[in-house]
Amino acid sequence: MNETILITGANAGLGKDAARQLALLAETKKIYLGCRNEAKAQAAKTELEQVTGRSIFEIMIVDVSKPASVRSAIDKLSQPVDALIMNAGGMGGKNPTELTSDGVSSIFAANVLGHAVMVEELLKADKLKKVAMYASSEGARGVKKMGMKRPDLKTNSVEEFVSIFDGSNFDEGADGMEIYAYVKYAATMWMSAMARKHPEIRFISMSPGATSGTQVMNDLPPIQKIMYKYIGFPILMPLLGMSHKLEKGAQRYVKAISDESLITGTFYASSENKLTGPVMDQATFFTEMNTASFQDNAHAAIQQFAV
């Protein structure tokens, strides 16, 4: 039972709908809406209160691409949370390998760095009580029918993971979708390492699946954005049974933090080569994900930037 929940990227898309669904559960007493923009956060809070009939939402202004913002937000957090949903992310803008002031690529900063700092700060302050969920992606294990290759790491060493985080692993002009898959793979491995290092907390990686209405495509270059956001996901992919509605993706988040039969340290997503349907342990067909040394290397690489 999760009474208090923190969701990042909660003002739109999957994050907002997860907040709506969780608010409809009687056990939920408070939901922190982690958002970058005050005005958008207030608009989401007002809408959620109207559609759920509950006044249990509290805004947390936080930019997960900036560790300083995350540390400040967690320091101000008034009470511990039972569950954390790490939903915020994106494709890293027009130049996903552009370095931030923290020495990492913008795509890594948006999807991973702040979330890693958030988990560490919550644990340090004893403000995370039960479960942490990271929003991964089927891209982290590849989808042949979408032309998405499985991330092909040569060694899974600390150095190789660092090269993914600082963008040096990729050629200039590399496709943002490919980089996104590598970043999600690395973050998923980090989550598995965290599960072993902190057995008192459940760490679950969960892909929302191919979801229409998600905000993740907003950062793609214009042509790709039009193809995926306005044609592929809402029209073509549903006809082919390759995407589902926003509510279905958000339901996976709710399942991740609520279903205690899900095993800590596991990456759950659609079955092999699919983007929708029931979720399953991805290591059943991507065995590298169960390699503890690879997981620890991803963790060590992230810690180089998250300290």
Side-chain angles (χ1 to χ4, degrees), residues 10-259:
N11 65 275
L14 288 159
K16 186 170 76 171
D17 201 70
R20 178 189 66 80
Q21 293 185 32
L22 287 163
L24 296 177
L25 302 178
E27 66 194 53
T28 307
K29 305 303 181 186
K30 176 174 283 191
I31 298 175
Y32 288 98
L33 305 175
C35 309
R36 289 183 300 176
N37 182 282
E38 178 78 38
K40 290 180 179 180
Q42 289 289 352
K45 179 176 182 288
T46 298
E47 181 184 341
L48 286 166
E49 289 175 343
Q50 290 174 346
V51 299
T52 64
R54 303 190 69 188
S55 298
I56 62 171
F57 305 97
E58 184 171 328
I59 292 171
M60 172 191 282
I61 297 301
V62 59
D63 184 343
V64 296
S65 70
K66 299 177 180 178
S69 175
V70 172
R71 292 189 175 97
S72 176
I74 299 305
D75 184 59
K76 296 173 184 175
L77 186 65
S78 60
Q79 67 182 95
V81 297
D82 293 312
L84 167 65
I85 295 178
M86 293 173 274
N87 163 70
M91 296 291 178
K94 295 180 179 179
N95 187 1
T97 57
E98 181 179 5
L99 294 184
T100 70
S101 59
D102 297 295
V104 299
S105 65
S106 59
I107 194 168
F108 174 74
N111 288 280
V112 186
L113 181 57
H115 283 138
V117 171
M118 181 172 285
V119 171
E120 294 292 345
E121 292 299 310
L122 286 169
L123 291 172
K124 189 188 307 181
D126 195 25
K127 290 181 178 179
L128 178 59
K129 296 300 184 181
K130 295 182 179 180
V131 57
M133 187 222 88
Y134 179 74
S136 190
S137 165
E138 271 83 3
R141 46 75 162 169
V143 186
K144 288 183 179 179
K145 64 172 63 176
M146 287 286 291
M148 298 170 66
K149 296 181 180 178
R150 177 175 294 180
D152 183 22
L153 279 72
K154 295 179 175 62
T155 62
N156 279 273
S157 65
V158 173
E159 293 75 19
E160 188 169 23
F161 280 115
V162 167
S163 74
I164 292 170
F165 303 157
D166 66 17
S168 61
N169 185 69
F170 307 103
D171 296 331
E172 185 176 350
D175 181 70
M177 293 286 284
E178 178 185 358
I179 300 172
Y180 181 77
Y182 275 77
V183 166
K184 288 293 186 180
Y185 167 78
T188 302
M189 298 295 274
W190 160 72
M191 284 286 288
S192 295
M194 290 296 289
R196 288 185 289 103
K197 295 176 186 298
H198 299 278
E200 74 282 5
I201 304 293
R202 292 174 60 244
F203 286 87
I204 303 293
S205 294
M206 175 69 77
S207 171
T211 304
S212 59
T214 182
Q215 303 297 300
V216 74
M217 300 298 172
N218 287 348
D219 289 342
L220 286 172
I223 294 177
Q224 281 185 301
K225 179 179 177 179
I226 291 171
M227 287 300 298
Y228 279 102
K229 186 172 182 178
Y230 299 108
I231 300 175
F233 275 89
I235 300 173
L236 296 180
M237 291 177 67
L239 290 174
L240 298 172
M242 294 174 61
S243 71
H244 50 215
K245 293 182 178 180
L246 185 73
E247 292 82 358
K248 286 283 188 180
Q251 282 175 9
R252 289 190 178 189
Y253 288 1
V254 176
K255 177 180 177 68
I257 66 169
S258 305
D259 186 348

